[in-house]
Amino acid sequence: MNVPAFAPYTEDAVTRFMRIRRQTLALCAGLSGEDLQVQSMPEASPGKWHLAHTTWFFEQFVLGCDPAYRSADPAWDYLFNSYYESVGPMHARPKRGLLTRPTLDDIRDYRSRIDEAVGELLVRGVDQPLAARIELGLQHEQQHQELLLTDIKHAFWCNPLQPAYHHASSPNESRSAPMRFVPGRQGPMDIGHHGDGFAYDNETPRHTTWLSSHALANRLVTNDEYLAFIRDGGYRDAGLWLSDGWVRVQRDGWERPLYWQQDLTSEFTLAGIQPLDPHAPVCHISYFEADAFARWAGARLPTEAEWEDAAARLPLHGNFQDNLRLHPIAMPSGDGLLQMYGDAWEWTASPYVSYPGFKPLPGALGEYNGKFMNGQWVLRGGSCATPRDHIRASYRNFFPPHARWQFAGIRLGQDR
Amino acid sequence: MNVPAFAPYTEDAVTRFMRIRRQTLALCAGLSGEDLQVQSMPEASPGKWHLAHTTWFFEQFVLGCDPAYRSADPAWDYLFNSYYESVGPMHARPKRGLLTRPTLDDIRDYRSRIDEAVGELLVRGVDQPLAARIELGLQHEQQHQELLLTDIKHAFWCNPLQPAYHHASSPNESRSAPMRFVPGRQGPMDIGHHGDGFAYDNETPRHTTWLSSHALANRLVTNDEYLAFIRDGGYRDAGLWLSDGWVRVQRDGWERPLYWQQDLTSEFTLAGIQPLDPHAPVCHISYFEADAFARWAGARLPTEAEWEDAAARLPLHGNFQDNLRLHPIAMPSGDGLLQMYGDAWEWTASPYVSYPGFKPLPGALGEYNGKFMNGQWVLRGGSCATPRDHIRASYRNFFPPHARWQFAGIRLGQDR
Amino acid sequence: MNVPAFAPYTEDAVTRFMRIRRQTLALCAGLSGEDLQVQSMPEASPGKWHLAHTTWFFEQFVLGCDPAYRSADPAWDYLFNSYYESVGPMHARPKRGLLTRPTLDDIRDYRSRIDEAVGELLVRGVDQPLAARIELGLQHEQQHQELLLTDIKHAFWCNPLQPAYHHASSPNESRSAPMRFVPGRQGPMDIGHHGDGFAYDNETPRHTTWLSSHALANRLVTNDEYLAFIRDGGYRDAGLWLSDGWVRVQRDGWERPLYWQQDLTSEFTLAGIQPLDPHAPVCHISYFEADAFARWAGARLPTEAEWEDAAARLPLHGNFQDNLRLHPIAMPSGDGLLQMYGDAWEWTASPYVSYPGFKPLPGALGEYNGKFMNGQWVLRGGSCATPRDHIRASYRNFFPPHARWQFAGIRLGQDR
Amino acid sequence: MNVPAFAPYTEDAVTRFMRIRRQTLALCAGLSGEDLQVQSMPEASPGKWHLAHTTWFFEQFVLGCDPAYRSADPAWDYLFNSYYESVGPMHARPKRGLLTRPTLDDIRDYRSRIDEAVGELLVRGVDQPLAARIELGLQHEQQHQELLLTDIKHAFWCNPLQPAYHHASSPNESRSAPMRFVPGRQGPMDIGHHGDGFAYDNETPRHTTWLSSHALANRLVTNDEYLAFIRDGGYRDAGLWLSDGWVRVQRDGWERPLYWQQDLTSEFTLAGIQPLDPHAPVCHISYFEADAFARWAGARLPTEAEWEDAAARLPLHGNFQDNLRLHPIAMPSGDGLLQMYGDAWEWTASPYVSYPGFKPLPGALGEYNGKFMNGQWVLRGGSCATPRDHIRASYRNFFPPHARWQFAGIRLGQDR
Ligand SMILES: [Fe+3]
Ligand SMILES: [Fe+3]
Ligand SMILES: [Fe+3]
Ligand SMILES: [Fe+3]
């Protein structure tokens, strides 16, 4: 976690803090207390819990740095600790949806109180370690903003009424650019975070890796292309699938991306049921589906090193949460690699493991990333639900291979 | 279902209808939309769902009798049908808690609309079959009132904050009367519903059964008596338990009634954590626990016929929902059989099966009771959460033997 | 358990003991060590385990009555105790199939040693209590003979090769007698064991019960009749089923009796795949199926009291294990009630509960029957796998409502 | 798969074929038909099934190359196909233990028949592709030899009698050499199979990878060292564990290696319960335990590239199946890296994924390795149950992180 120190913190720091914190509330503006109460699966959390947990993060890891700090209600540590074993015991994850109390109003008050306290700290000035923790809290807040959106999307989809979270944007009329493969660099290359900005511990240390001869597709796989895979029997041909993936296909009856309707012409979105845009990137697929599609296409997924080496030289443009579309859109044209950022997270061929020489953050914050380095695959590039100022080339997201409720899609890669 | 016809229905019928319907809302008065959203286990339902389902019952089975009736939103049939296969498909029971839409306000509107329509019917006058269906709807409403209370109790108990549903009543200082056994009648006796009042189909037909020589305890088993069972190792002695019960004891770690605290001196109630009253009837125990306690006490549970034959000659007095205590209380003294009604449902030694010559109601309403005649045991007498005008001597409640979240307790019986 | 004392026991007692014990081995004659090793589901046991457990029963409850008795290998108590908690801890039931040691030869030796010891006791003479325990051991042995057959049938059926346990008998060419309903007696009747012969504790005490006006079908339901139920959509009509049964139908995909082939013209038997005899009694159905069939047929199942009152006046004739057919056969003609004994156990409408005044056997043997009085239904009359001298009018067998691997069929009853 | 062609094949090829095939039978010599019948968990297979499946492999992939070949019993394809979806449907893996037929004698005959047919092929001479398939069959046979041993070990351990598979070897009196860290090479290095010998597809292609500065421990972690971890509370400190591992520790109650006795002084081995040798390598631990131990020790696990780069320069010496000890032993002294081969498979820090440019074998044999590249970790070096001529520096074994029933242990690595 690399964050420069400012003492006293400028007003911009307070502004940034308040802007990001308010954005979380803004995302909940159209949701009722009932909507924010519900947990549709163990992997998701209620919106209310996201609001409280991100606040608890600041209370625990920022305000709590002051030994004199006393939490207003220690029982809330138990409720809103997500997975920090070294902080203490916690409420069982699959039961977060049962917490009707504290009420949404209580949580809003909680947010105000903690925001005020952190704001005062910032105004008084904080040292570098504390500034780093506040920055980590804001990055954490932004991660939960994305989860808040993907979790409410899942919850609404579980409702036979299939309600909409927001109004649909005007339809995108663009066609997608033709798919081309763009050669990547070969040989020893350095990846991992460098420079002054923020990064999670799992993006460090910067280190050398060897890139084989390869190429990356210039854009994401589209719904149309994915339809061709379906129509060609992709979900019925065991030979295309990893063994664990085939088990899922059969056991869970997978026949199409998570939120597609059975007719393959419409899909559930945060704007409710919408026509499927053939040119938009396919999303809400698992690693297993991305991998099977790539095999069917005679290609493979990129490694995270191939992806990062290419992305590091591109500007951070893309279809992000800031657009408020909250859905991937077609990319009509452009040179080189398109859609590397935004639209949909890109499954890579890289299991989520530590970089050589990795050191987790000291103390409880070391549990943020390192302990999940098993059974997950790296995704890169952010999505239409990611805040634009949250992503970077070295950013490593990770999910288990069967996860489908994220905005996750496919970029193809090739051996050359 | 025996209900006399009135045409036109008197204003008292409208009053009764509105009173019972409003009572359901009154029970929700202190609960937020969040509280009413949550489903803490598959066997329980959200309060909001209870509010909607009981309304749907009138829409489906009363208003729907008019072939011209069109439901405002047929999708709601899917959401709020509980288990009537012949009405159509339905939302999966364990997922009722995911329905954040329709909102609580939508449901309140729904209740108003349907109440108005049924009220109009009543004012215009209804024939006997329709009157019977309205009466069934009201009895159904009252059943769900009790479930609403037991379900919110379970949900609040799941919350580490253990919130209270209402304020505690003033403590009850009474001691319990000494336990005595009162001989019952022996020989051929008739049980089952007779007379003009309402009864469910499963209480009919009235028929002869043979009572062996027996006696019933004069009152319910108290917390103190149950504590003696615990302290004597009752939960550790396999010899006291039915085989299926012993599996539960070990698998689920049962050591005390559901809502008792580990210290055995306090318990979770609808008024939050309260001191355990040694003289109050024990409740929130399973059939397995009732049966094991009885075996430990050298006694047995009464059969439902023994219970009904005795109860039929007693007045309908007791500690009911109407008292607003919503918890069992000690019975200081009295002659004969005490606490036969109210306080706690009494597990009987009778599996829930049909009476000789049983005919379920015709049509979908035949699914109300008959199809559950497997794997459940009969409980009798109503509880502190039952409306006083809902219970009668012939009333047969039923739950599976492991169920603990109802206000269910123990009356001992004996062979003589 | 009522058994007359003989001192010294006559040679006939020794002969009887040896005959029954040898019969168990005879049933295994065509099976390899591998066949006897396998446990195809938690509810079944390996043949080898049956051989050992029945022997352990004599060691524990007969030889072990002598305080000086020392078991050759106390570890075997752990292995071959089935469910007697008061005897001590035991090997987990679903893992019986893992016990490749002791070997089949070890178990055969064990049987010989224990048989010799019990034989010596019998020759020297035993007092009444010990005679009763030996008799109980023999009855127990016979129960396990039937289970050995039903368990190996299930295991062989699980094998895609569907091997045969024995050669098929010559086909039975008989047609079944027409179905008629025979009126039963009404009023107070006594049921339960009486007289001098052996009975399990659960058949006592003899007591009065009240029979309503009713009739019983003169014979078992045939395969042809059951086919009509299937063809009429019986397995697709929720209205015919108990709620728990309908869950099974859907979850487990029930469409026909357990061992029928998909084409509905042949079935798996102990003689391998055989043509379905339309006139033979249907068997290998659950209580849920028997109950649904009866409802479809406009009838109901008999209560156990109705059955016993009728059966007690009939001779003990039927198609038993002794015939070595090991499959039900058609009953061409006859007066009154046919097939009451043998062919297939008859599911009754009676849950398995205690009789009024029931006292289990003292000590560990009290666990034989009483602790299973939950969640099971009574079956009456024995089957083609029951030894003829094991059954009687008061005999109460019991299985959970979903059990299908026993030779269980249907006799219809009627209210009159 | 790289195998040189010989035409006609020399007699040595026949000898090798017969030697390896006979070795599988030799491993079963002390086991009864019952022992070989049993499957103690879904991940294990019965010995009889291993005997049949390895034979089916030759029938399917060698003899079946002749279009005129007709299998004696096509039903056996269903029974003994393990996971080759493109060959056809197969018997469910967790139900392999139910196949009492074909009998052990049938399987022995099957082995003889197929051995004779393959032997004849070899004598007549085979072309390179067929020679490669025969070689693959033999390598496959050797893999199953190891599994046969680990599976019977698990089955015997499940038996409360804890029988021995073979007689214990004379005890090993050696102390272990002190642990030292040996620096590895840094920079671009080539790994993967090269040269003429056999290799699985997953060991190819040889390719460049970048090694960071690191060192490897000179020997495996001993029981004594692992005891120190246990005694220091290693199994109770969440901070040492991956999140998924901590779930296992708590859910499955892990407190020590799989086969250790509770007293931590003895362990179950293929020679039954034996004293724990403090100097012998710890084994039967999961990846989670290896990783937690390494973290506790202030070290990490080696990557597979680090391991291979070091191992490729060492002779293939070690404690293998050929020793017939079938248990790891202490390594008293020596220079450089010890125990790299044999004793215990070494968990690496590398998830099992494809090498850059990986191409699976064409056809059904492509399912051998590639489809398992998810959720597993690479192990290197072979074990005391691996045939000496089966292992090599580039060999990649893989198991899921919770697997404990293999002879898997720990070598530490370090960043430098
Ligand atoms: Fe978080
Ligand atoms: Fe209802
Ligand atoms: Fe038994
Ligand atoms: Fe294999």
Side-chain angles (χ1 to χ4, degrees), chain B residues 53 82 84 140 144:
Chain B
H53 161 70
S82 52
Y84 297 90
H140 175 255
H144 278 276

Side-chain angles (χ1 to χ4, degrees), chain D residues 349-370:
Chain D
S350 300
Y352 176 55
V353 291
S354 62
Y355 284 166
F358 169 63
K359 296 267 178 281
L361 289 178
L365 289 171
E367 299 186 51
Y368 199 107
N369 281 309

Side-chain angles (χ1 to χ4, degrees), chain C residues 6-257:
Chain C
F6 301 96
Y9 227 95
T10 65
E11 196 187 337
D12 282 349
V14 180
T15 305
R16 171 168 154 78
F17 175 79
M18 292 303 176
R19 172 177 61 78
I20 290 175
R21 290 282 288 165
R22 277 181 198 134
Q23 173 63 5
T24 313
L25 285 177
L27 291 172
C28 300
L31 300 172
S32 69
E34 297 155 67
D35 293 331
L36 292 168
Q37 179 62 46
V38 82
Q39 177 176 34
S40 58
M41 58 177 170
E43 296 85 351
S45 298
K48 193 169 83 175
W49 190 90
H50 284 299
L51 291 175
H53 162 70
T54 49
T55 305
W56 169 85
F57 194 95
F58 283 105
E59 187 183 24
Q60 176 67 34
F61 295 118
V62 174
L63 301 183
C65 287
D66 178 353
Y69 181 78
R70 286 293 163 271
S71 83
D73 192 338
W76 290 25
D77 286 341
Y78 184 84
L79 299 181
F80 300 124
N81 179 359
S82 51
Y83 54 64
Y84 298 90
E85 301 274 354
S86 49
V87 167
M90 68 209 69
H91 189 63
R93 175 169 191 142
K95 305 206 163 177
R96 289 175 184 167
L98 302 186
L99 303 173
T100 65
R101 314 288 177 91
T103 65
L104 181 53
D105 284 344
D106 294 338
I107 301 299
R108 288 182 189 278
D109 288 350
Y110 179 43
R111 289 184 71 89
S112 299
R113 281 201 317 278
I114 299 301
D115 284 355
E116 198 168 336
V118 175
E120 276 174 28
L121 274 187
L122 285 170
V123 168
R124 284 208 307 267
V126 295
D127 60 8
Q128 198 280 336
L130 200 56
R133 282 164 169 255
I134 292 171
E135 183 57 32
L136 182 65
L138 290 173
Q139 298 285 340
H140 175 256
E141 184 92 15
Q142 290 183 312
Q143 281 190 285
H144 279 276
Q145 286 171 9
E146 177 153 4
L147 294 174
L148 200 152
L149 289 168
T150 56
D151 291 359
I152 197 72
K153 184 171 183 177
H154 189 267
F156 276 8
W157 174 73
C158 289
N159 189 325
L161 302 181
Q162 307 230 298
Y165 164 80
H166 71 157
H167 291 292
S169 305
S170 56
N172 178 53
E173 308 285 343
S174 308
R175 302 183 62 84
S176 50
M179 191 186 290
R180 290 183 302 107
F181 281 86
V182 179
R185 303 196 297 178
Q186 186 181 2
M189 301 293 160
D190 287 353
I191 65 162
H193 177 73
H194 62 139
D196 290 337
F198 173 86
Y200 289 117
D201 54 6
N202 63 10
E203 302 168 46
T204 64
R206 190 162 176 87
H207 64 283
T208 305
T209 189
W210 187 276
L211 296 189
S212 303
S213 177
H214 72 280
L216 300 183
N218 64 321
R219 60 158 171 78
L220 297 176
V221 168
T222 63
N223 286 327
D224 234 11
E225 287 158 350
Y226 200 81
L227 264 168
F229 165 73
I230 297 175
R231 293 199 172 117
D232 194 42
Y235 282 96
R236 297 189 303 272
D237 180 357
L240 295 172
W241 295 80
L242 287 166
S243 181
D244 294 342
W246 186 240
V247 168
R248 290 268 171 183
V249 167
Q250 296 189 290
R251 194 190 73 187
D252 298 344
W254 286 357
E255 295 182 336
R256 54 187 184 274

